[in-house]
Amino acid sequence: MRLFLVAVFLAVGCSSQFDSSENSITVFAAASLTDALHELVRLFELQQPRTIVNLHIGPTSLLARQIQQGAPADIFMSASPEWTNYLRQQNLIKEKEINFAKNTLVVLGTPATPAITDLSELTTNQKLAMADPLHVPAGIYGKHALECAGKWNAMESSIIPTLDVRAALAALSSGAADLAIVYGSDVGLVPELKFMFQVPDSCMPEINYVISTLQRTANLDAAIAFVDFVTDSLQLNLWTKFGFSS
């Protein structure tokens, strides 16, 4: 499988201009949270005007490895508990992780892609874009769904693995793929793409997003305040607005 890299987001994450002041915090967050997070950070900074939030966005697996290698971060927002556990095993997680949102998987196509209604209808002559199933959560979830439907072995050679779920969307938009398995929260991000179906509950993996503060945080009070804000029940409408569930 070849890795399809798209410069919609930087290969090592999409970062805002970092502020090193004592009233700033750095949040490493999964790419699929991008749109919701920009809105959430805006609201948080209105409530906490003396705190600046720096976002570093990318594939969960890559972010976890960057943290493990010493990247300065106060908070980790992961698309999979597995990568939070990876950091906990290395004593890099300070506070207990908290589930704050859930997601689903859907299949999208191009306007020219013939409509399908189930994973069983996938064929080997269709190029299927999805986040890299070797380590990226969205890809691992997608592989689980394909295995459940009995289609992984048949489709593996037709898969275009991408850096993250947003790159899978870009691969589909560019015409490099006929179909893509992405998150439900990605539906509508590229209006010209065609919604095919949501993966049925029988093959839907449990997709939980978790947030935790990190041992190396330089501003624990602000980090805890941000975690509390993200997980507050008052934010449920915001997560729903961007296609997530609680």
Side-chain angles (χ1 to χ4, degrees):
M1 296 186 292
R2 62 189 179 88
L3 186 61
F4 190 94
L5 302 181
V6 180
V8 176
F9 297 91
L10 296 178
V12 293
C14 176
S15 307
S16 60
Q17 182 113 20
F18 278 20
D19 187 306
S20 60
S21 72
E22 62 180 287
N23 290 322
S24 71
I25 53 174
T26 298
V27 177
F28 276 42
S32 51
L33 294 169
T34 300
D35 304 280
L37 259 187
H38 283 301
E39 175 70 7
L40 190 126
V41 167
R42 183 186 69 81
L43 295 173
F44 176 78
E45 290 182 339
L46 284 174
Q47 185 185 95
Q48 304 278 344
R50 302 181 70 178
T51 302
I52 296 170
V53 179
N54 303 306
L55 290 178
H56 186 71
I57 293 170
T60 291
S61 52
L62 179 58
L63 297 178
R65 291 188 179 110
Q66 289 176 340
I67 293 168
Q68 187 272 329
Q69 292 166 10
D74 300 281
I75 291 167
F76 183 40
M77 299 180 74
S78 170
S80 168
E82 296 301 320
W83 283 103
T84 302
N85 291 338
Y86 168 80
L87 294 180
R88 180 173 293 284
Q89 290 167 6
Q90 298 174 67
N91 298 315
L92 293 174
I93 299 295
K94 187 173 187 66
E95 301 289 338
K96 180 181 178 181
E97 61 270 20
I98 302 172
N99 292 357
F100 65 91
K102 296 179 181 292
N103 217 331
T104 58
L105 291 179
V106 300
V107 174
L108 302 182
T110 71
T113 307
I116 60 173
T117 60
D118 191 76
L119 292 171
S120 64
E121 297 175 43
L122 293 171
T123 63
T124 55
N125 63 344
Q126 294 170 315
K127 292 296 183 182
L128 176 64
M130 57 191 287
D132 192 340
L134 292 179
H135 61 91
V136 181
I140 294 170
Y141 295 138
K143 180 180 179 182
H144 170 93
L146 289 169
E147 288 177 332
C148 172
K151 296 295 291 187
W152 173 254
N153 290 337
M155 292 300 299
E156 185 175 6
S157 62
S158 300
I159 289 172
I160 300 174
T162 63
L163 182 68
D164 56 31
V165 69
R166 295 303 177 94
L169 278 176
L172 183 59
S173 300
S174 72
D178 305 297
L179 296 160
I181 296 179
V182 296
Y183 288 128
S185 58
D186 297 312
V187 174
L189 290 180
V190 185
E192 63 268 23
L193 296 180
K194 183 164 59 177
F195 177 83
M196 297 291 184
F197 61 90
Q198 179 174 297
V199 171
D201 290 345
S202 59
C203 284
M204 183 75 74
E206 187 173 357
I207 302 173
N208 288 311
Y209 289 77
V210 296
I211 186 170
S212 54
T213 54
L214 298 169
Q215 286 286 4
R216 299 193 187 107
T217 178
N219 195 343
L220 181 59
D221 289 343
I224 290 174
F226 185 79
V227 170
D228 289 344
F229 187 81
V230 169
T231 57
D232 192 291
S233 60
L234 295 176
Q235 308 308 327
L236 294 181
N237 286 340
L238 183 144
W239 294 116
T240 301
K241 171 184 173 183
F242 286 95
F244 300 88
S245 62
S246 59

